[in-house]
Amino acid sequence: MSGVISLAHGAGGLETRELIDRVFTRVLGNDYLAESEDAAIIPVGAYAVSIDGFTVEPIVFNGGNIGKLAVAGSCNDVAMRGAKPKFLAASFIIEEGLSLDVLEEIVASFGAELRVNNALLIAADTKVTPRNQGVSGIFISTTAFGEVILEGLAAKNLRVGDLIIASGSIGDHGAAIFAAREGIELESGLKSDCASLWSLVSPLIDAKLPIVCMRDATRGGLAAVTNEWAIAANATLTLNESAIAVKNEVKGACELLGFEPYSLANEGVAIVAVRGEESAKKAIEIMRSSELGKNAAIIGYVGGDYKARVVLKTPHKTSRFLDMPSGELLPRIC
Amino acid sequence: MSGVISLAHGAGGLETRELIDRVFTRVLGNDYLAESEDAAIIPVGAYAVSIDGFTVEPIVFNGGNIGKLAVAGSCNDVAMRGAKPKFLAASFIIEEGLSLDVLEEIVASFGAELRVNNALLIAADTKVTPRNQGVSGIFISTTAFGEVILEGLAAKNLRVGDLIIASGSIGDHGAAIFAAREGIELESGLKSDCASLWSLVSPLIDAKLPIVCMRDATRGGLAAVTNEWAIAANATLTLNESAIAVKNEVKGACELLGFEPYSLANEGVAIVAVRGEESAKKAIEIMRSSELGKNAAIIGYVGGDYKARVVLKTPHKTSRFLDMPSGELLPRIC
């Protein structure tokens, strides 16, 4: 087997078996995959299911790679529904010519992030597309299955007075990808926040805090999540700009781009709505006790005069609408 | 909304919502998707799960398109494990510039094939990649969830004497894609066999026939399935070439290509192993009563002198090994 992926690796014959055995099974193998059937039988249970396609470019970036992102991203989607990640199905679409070393690095990160989630890969598919005609590197689509631990989370249940928490600083993933794409060296070595969030939110569930809904602020960033929530609840979400953590390097990248950080993608930030001030404070305390949540803060609340809108209160005591992002910020961000 | 897909349609903001609403929800909407959360909660049950990535080129071909294929292909994988297709999750990776008309045609076929399976789309994701840098048209990855009706199907359970049935003629999809790709006009208008197979195999299950295992003969074709079975059971599979239906147009395309039809992809052919001659005959009778199975035939049996090999008996009374396909037959076949 030479050092790059060839079309034969995707043809479903001998070379495909060799690729699967050498690169995938060695790292990701388990009893489900060992059956080598076209479908896996999962244990009976109450599952939350989410699918995501990952097209990030570059495929390896500061703070992670597309393998880590593809696991964390889908697992986070079920985690935000109150479900503990258990299983993953993955479709790998690989460009002919991709270096095997890079593929192995990506698969290693994929496997490592599965272990972080204590989840298993139960089904997978591999395709290879011709060079320059398909993907530049690799696309990964993942379906995550989470065991439902807390039922009933839904943005439509938001009520006036509910408090909005962000688990960390905003915009790191978007800014890191932009920097990598443009070859900008940020002095501080800004990293993607790419991380699996179940370990951050499960203690909130264990503590039986009155969580209304949770969402990871990925594509479209904080602006998209809060606008979707405002629409779902037909309420105003009011955010305090001074409470929203944004790293200086991210602010710098935003100035270069003409973006606002609230629209940049995050891949390891949970937005959590909690009912009641005491509960919100308790949630902050719990989140701050973990590395992932050390910058957790209450950034706003449900309430205000505009149905289905997000209002941002600036440090200058003025207010403006934070709109749903529009237009193309940065293609292939996740 | 103009007539082509733009990068903004993939950015997660306003345009993405508009694309989802106009093109996807209108056709595929249901109560699961209406929740607009990042993960869907599926009912408790015993599920078979399969994932497949579809990269076929051209995306519209004689007999179907990538939308129909993406539903049928994944649903067939769970159907072959004895599971009735129930839910689908889908990741759409669309190239900037794709015509909205074509996308709508693909989504319409996707929806129609879901209805054939009586299955629901429960989770979806859409990404847009820059033109000429990503996919030429669209890639679709689908995860199918089937309700397990018949447990215990597995190729490792094959025993000497078990009979091998093919539900139809071999190689139609591969030959049709080749013809479309090369601009070859086949007089007969050869079509892909792309079809959902649950309606074909469920009557066999209802009739309580002793089915050992089933597999749809997709990428790598009949040769790949039978070799995988021979390996799984550490047995010989012996096939009678004269019993294997191959259309004349497919034979013609194979002569042009220098391929053998047994390695060409099928997208609507079930290979079924049944224990006992009476049961196999009954299975053939049942399958032939449906349009999809009108050419069903017993094409071989488990037994012979070579562990983990497939032997093909030719009409000339000679035998040869049918090997696992090797090398690249046709990229982006499915």
Side-chain angles (χ1 to χ4, degrees), chain B residues 27-28 68 71 106-118:
Chain B
V27 178
L28 306 173
K68 177 179 183 182
V71 175
I106 287 167
V107 173
S109 296
F110 190 98
E113 202 64 19
L114 276 173
R115 286 189 293 279
V116 166
N117 284 283
N118 201 16

Side-chain angles (χ1 to χ4, degrees), chain B residues 280-303:
Chain B
K281 282 182 183 162
K282 180 75 184 154
I284 293 290
E285 189 187 315
I286 293 172
M287 291 169 102
R288 284 192 182 158
S289 71
S290 93
E291 181 63 25
L292 271 178
K294 66 181 185 210
N295 294 314
I298 298 172
I299 61 165
Y301 56 90
V302 179

Side-chain angles (χ1 to χ4, degrees), chain A residues 26 43 61 66 89 125 133 150 163 176 178 193 198 284 300 302 320:
Chain A
R26 200 167 50 79
F61 48 82
I66 193 170
D125 182 64
Q133 192 188 342
L150 178 63
L163 292 161
F178 173 75
D193 56 326
W198 178 249
I284 294 289
V302 179
R320 65 176 174 97

Side-chain angles (χ1 to χ4, degrees), chain B residues 80 165-168 197 200-201 214-217 268-272 287:
Chain B
M80 296 300 108
I165 293 168
S167 69
L197 293 169
L200 178 72
V201 298
M214 305 192 282
R215 191 75 67 84
D216 56 336
V269 176
I271 310 299
V272 181
M287 291 169 102

